[in-house]
């Protein structure tokens, strides 16, 4: 009875109070430096640093984390027999935003649910066609991180965060075995945030900034003889955002005889550059994986994906937003046609069908496959305008054919392995990559040629128009990390090198442009962890060099540091408390253009160059984890604020509270 009361309460909270969810499956972090300290655990049920107090998660009750296990598709695909248990560690519980969970390797616009992108360049996710719309993708459940459960009892996970400054998160997960070999479950997420500037106070009916609904339904089945395995899930995301375009600096009259008017750069009560403009993204993903084991050395598998995506932007006050304000020019470039409004609608569909064979022979693991991918994109703008009918762009479906293979060797010590993978798009690009993993060293190399995104090749609206024939993009990426234990201190020095050719970027006019030739990106890193009884200090630092800083901007210095202390209070309450610091040196980060949902070069305003300090306390009673946190505790020292992106302020000081509650029966 208690379980169903809690389910009803959670549903009412989602509908009534507009709060949201923890990270739906995590964020794809840019490549390099695997397992670095100071961030998100590197595995689904592991931590990159151990708990200094040695907390014991054992329990005397029948059902718990050890009876609620799950698998990941990547392990089944690669014939790795892994079962993960539910995470009950305290490490990182206080990191509730997407930027924090990414180890600060992502940049957003300063508030929960705003467009987000990696700080450092990452490899294209596909060698074939891609939409080019990525800034809201991390907010959805991720296909390859869906957990397929085997629960001996009904399992429920309820997660709630009141993040301060009206950043709210709610998630509800449920899974239950229908039979001993058949499990089904679902997850629902809801998160919202409110504007920090550009409002008329708490009674403003338009104060809502971002809101996200996410849904995941999943099931898995295995036959009695373990020959047949089925994984199936459906993902839906509906994300909307009131676009603000940044904050206008405020003005203050200085006292004195002359009463000079001075600019207030960090004006959290200032006006926004855009009014009544909004963007939206909808995604629906169906995913099926099935395999049949004829023999340990010969198995047949099948993967099928069907994806639908819609990206939408509307501004019905185009003329107002194009007027100069407080010394700033109009927000948009020159308007090409209709100057009264813009309504942009882009839709993408793709079917990806993969069939292959795989198996295990002694210590070798192999996989070979063929893929058939069919996609199409549909675009229109201002189609419903009374005076305009600008038409639509709907090319015929395009077919892509791939062949690929994967090979892995597992060393007898069971701690080391080497893998290699190759994929070729017939008539197009390719991807070659390999990685070596051991107790002391992790290193890898990737070489690939990938298509430009569909957005980079063609876009049409009454603000922008281009029709490009860009060449394939090239990436050569090498990285390595050492693991050096020195008593109580453990170091992880690392090196990450990328050679980018035919690089495509959005220039100062927010229009795509392809650079000729190649250039280098070098990143040197050092992770550290020092443990002394119940005290722990850990962190990560990067130093970056770019040979073409005119087209790619990175912070030269990037540092995170965490100092924490653990203790047991009253024999039942485990406490982990400390402070986390983050710093990026000053650099000209890319600005954001909401019409195309792209970040583009700018030379007007440097950002960051500021240390942010968060004070936290993570707590655990039995299996319930909680946290309290004071974010940006050092606001006012050394200055009143900072910019995370051009014209977008970092979040002010805020008090956050969260709870993660597991139920196993």
């Amino acid at each position: 009875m208690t379980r169903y009361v809690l389910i009803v309460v959670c549903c009412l909270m989602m509908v009534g109070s507009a709060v949201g969810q923890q990270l739906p499956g995590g964020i794809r972090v840019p490549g390099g430096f695997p397992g670095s300290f100071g961030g998100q655990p590197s595995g689904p049920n592991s931590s990159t640093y151990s708990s200094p107090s040695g907390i014991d998660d054992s329990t005397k009750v029948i059902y718990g984390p050890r009876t609620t296990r799950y698998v990941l598709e990547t392990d089944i695909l690669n014939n790795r027999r892994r079962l993960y248990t539910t995470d009950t560690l305290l490490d990182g519980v206080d990191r509730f935003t997407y930027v924090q969970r990414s180890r600060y390797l992502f940049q957003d616009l300063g508030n929960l649910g705003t467009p987000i992108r990696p700080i450092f360049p990452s490899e294209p996710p596909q060698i074939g066609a891609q939409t080019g719309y990525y800034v809201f993708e991390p907010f959805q459940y991720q296909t390859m991180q869906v957990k397929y459960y085997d629960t001996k009892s009904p399992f429920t996970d309820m997660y709630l965060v009141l993040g301060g400054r009206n950043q709210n998160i709610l998630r509800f997960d449920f899974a239950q075995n229908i039979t001993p070999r058949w499990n089904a479950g679902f997850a629902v997420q809801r998160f919202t945030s409110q504007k920090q500037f550009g409002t008329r106070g708490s009674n403003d009916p338009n104060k809502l900034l971002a809101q996200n609904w996410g849904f995941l339904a999943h099931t898995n089945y295995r036959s009695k003889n373990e020959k047949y395995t089925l994984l199936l899930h459906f993902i839906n995301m509906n994300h909307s955002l009131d676009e603000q375009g940044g904050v206008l600096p405020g003005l203050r009259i200085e006292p004195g005889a002359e009463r000079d008017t001075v600019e207030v750069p960090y004006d959290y009560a200032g006006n926004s550059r855009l009014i009544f403009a909004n963007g939206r993204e909808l995604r629906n993903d169906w995913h099926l994986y099935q395999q049949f084991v004829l023999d340990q050395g010969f198995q047949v598998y099948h993967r099928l994906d069907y994806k639908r995506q819609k990206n939408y932007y509307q501004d019905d006050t185009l003329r107002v937003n194009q007027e100069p304000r407080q010394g700033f020019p109009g927000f948009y470039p020159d308007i090409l046609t209709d100057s009264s409004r813009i309504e942009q609608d882009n839709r993408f569909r793709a079917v990806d069908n993969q069939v292959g064979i795989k198996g295990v022979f002694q210590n070798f693991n192999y996989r070979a496959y063929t893929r058939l991918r069919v996609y199409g994109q549909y675009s229109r703008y201002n189609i419903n305008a009374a005076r305009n009918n600008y038409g639509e762009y709907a090319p015929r479906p395009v077919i892509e054919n791939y062949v690929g293979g994967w090979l892995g060797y597992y060393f007898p010590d069971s701690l080391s392995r080497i893998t290699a993978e190759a994929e070729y798009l017939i008539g197009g690009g390719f991807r070659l990559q390999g990685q070596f993993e051991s107790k002391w060293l992790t290193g890898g190399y990737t070489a690939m040629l990938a298509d430009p995104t569909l957005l980079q090749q063609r876009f049409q609206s009454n603000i922008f128009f281009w029709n490009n024939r860009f060449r394939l993009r090239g990436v050569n990426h090498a990285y390595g990390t050492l693991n050096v234990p020195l008593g109580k201190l453990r170091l992880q020095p690392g090196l990450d090198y990328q050679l980018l050719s035919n690089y495509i970027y959005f220039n100062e006019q927010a229009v795509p442009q392809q650079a000729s030739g190649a250039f280098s990106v070098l990143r040197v890193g050092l992770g550290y962890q020092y443990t002394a009884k119940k005290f722990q200090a850990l962190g990560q630092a990067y130093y970056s060099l770019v040979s073409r800083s005119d087209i790619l901007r990175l912070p030269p210095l990037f540092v995170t540091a965490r100092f924490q202390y653990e203790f047991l209070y009253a024999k039942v309450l485990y406490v982990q408390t400390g402070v986390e610091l983050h710093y990026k040196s000053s650099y000209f980060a890319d600005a954001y253009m909401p019409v195309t949902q792209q970040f583009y070069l700018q030379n007007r305003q440097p950002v960051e160059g500021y240390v942010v300090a968060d004070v936290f306390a993570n707590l655990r009673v039995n299996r319930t984890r909680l946290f309290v946190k004071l974010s940006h505790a050092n606001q006012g020292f050394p200055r009143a604020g900072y910019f995370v992106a051009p014209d977008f302020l970092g979040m002010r000081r805020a008090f956050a509270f969260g709870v993660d509650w597991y139920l196993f029966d």
Side-chain angles (χ1 to χ4, degrees), residues 32-42 47-50 95 100-105 439 481-486 488-494 525-531 536-542 558-562 580-581:
F33 301 105
S36 56
F37 297 125
Q40 186 70 1
S42 58
S47 176
T48 55
Y49 45 90
S50 60
R95 300 188 184 106
Q100 293 167 359
R101 289 273 319 261
S102 75
R103 299 172 297 188
Y104 299 93
L105 293 173
K439 182 179 180 181
T481 304
L482 292 173
N483 186 22
V484 184
L486 299 171
K488 297 180 179 180
L489 177 66
R490 188 152 59 101
L491 299 178
Q492 280 190 340
L526 177 64
Y528 67 89
Q529 171 186 301
Y530 175 78
T531 303
Q536 196 169 63
L538 59 158
Q540 183 74 44
Y542 300 116
F558 174 105
V559 180
T560 58
R562 188 176 177 96
E580 186 167 61
L581 308 174

Side-chain angles (χ1 to χ4, degrees), residues 534-551:
K534 298 181 179 181
F535 172 78
Q536 196 169 63
L538 59 158
Q540 183 74 44
Y542 300 116
Y543 181 74
S544 302
L545 292 171
V546 183
S547 62
R548 287 292 305 273
S549 59
D550 57 325
I551 60 176

Side-chain angles (χ1 to χ4, degrees), residues 261-479:
T261 300
V262 298
E263 185 178 277
V264 181
Y266 310 109
D267 189 5
Y268 286 92
N271 296 317
S272 60
R273 295 190 63 188
L274 285 178
I275 59 172
F276 302 117
N278 59 85
R280 189 177 185 184
E281 179 167 300
L282 295 94
R283 291 177 179 242
N284 290 308
D285 295 352
W286 287 93
H287 179 79
L288 167 70
Y289 174 86
Q290 53 186 335
Q291 71 176 31
F292 187 79
V293 179
L294 299 173
D295 185 79
Q296 187 67 11
F298 188 82
Q299 308 162 20
V300 180
Y301 78 94
H302 173 228
R303 299 171 80 173
L304 179 65
D305 286 277
Y306 174 60
K307 298 179 181 291
R308 298 176 60 189
Q309 182 176 340
K310 176 182 177 180
N311 293 82
Y312 180 83
Y313 180 74
Q314 181 174 355
D315 183 353
D316 290 330
T317 56
L318 191 56
R319 288 195 184 98
V320 175
N321 288 325
Q322 192 60 4
E323 295 176 356
R325 300 174 64 192
Q326 295 182 210
F328 280 75
F331 184 82
Y332 303 106
D334 294 336
I335 299 175
L336 303 178
T337 52
D338 182 7
S339 63
S340 63
R341 63 187 294 273
I342 179 174
E343 183 178 359
Q344 181 73 35
D345 183 4
N346 292 278
R347 304 185 185 189
F348 175 82
R349 295 185 182 185
V351 177
D352 194 331
N353 191 39
Q354 180 180 147
V355 178
I357 58 174
K358 65 189 184 79
V360 178
F361 179 74
Q362 293 183 353
N363 290 336
F364 286 94
N365 197 339
Y366 75 92
R367 184 171 75 248
Y369 63 87
T370 178
R371 286 175 59 196
L372 174 66
R373 187 167 180 255
V374 183
Y375 72 88
Q377 180 172 267
Y378 168 88
S379 178
R380 65 180 184 176
Y381 72 100
N382 287 25
I383 196 73
N384 296 320
R387 295 183 293 108
N388 303 297
N389 187 4
Y390 291 127
E392 51 200 273
Y393 169 63
R396 294 180 179 179
V398 180
I399 299 177
E400 296 178 336
N401 290 285
Y402 300 77
V403 291
W406 182 90
L407 182 66
Y409 177 75
Y410 298 84
F411 292 88
D413 63 3
S414 73
L415 299 175
S416 305
R417 63 175 178 170
I418 185 169
T419 59
E421 186 172 6
E423 185 176 58
Y424 173 60
L425 169 59
I426 298 175
F430 69 89
R431 175 170 52 88
L432 299 171
Q433 63 184 69
Q435 180 167 290
F436 172 76
E437 300 174 62
S438 72
K439 182 179 180 181
W440 308 102
L441 170 68
T442 298
Y445 175 76
T446 299
M448 65 188 305
L449 286 176
D451 286 348
T453 68
L454 298 176
L455 175 65
Q456 291 168 346
Q457 296 182 81
R458 181 181 174 91
F459 187 83
Q460 183 176 0
S461 75
N462 54 324
I463 302 294
F464 295 103
F465 173 78
W466 58 76
N467 192 1
N468 300 312
R469 292 185 177 272
F470 289 143
R471 300 179 298 277
L472 294 178
R473 299 172 290 166
V475 177
N476 285 273
H477 181 203
Y479 62 89

Side-chain angles (χ1 to χ4, degrees), residues 160 202 218 386 478 663:
L160 171 67
S202 59
H218 58 85
L663 296 175

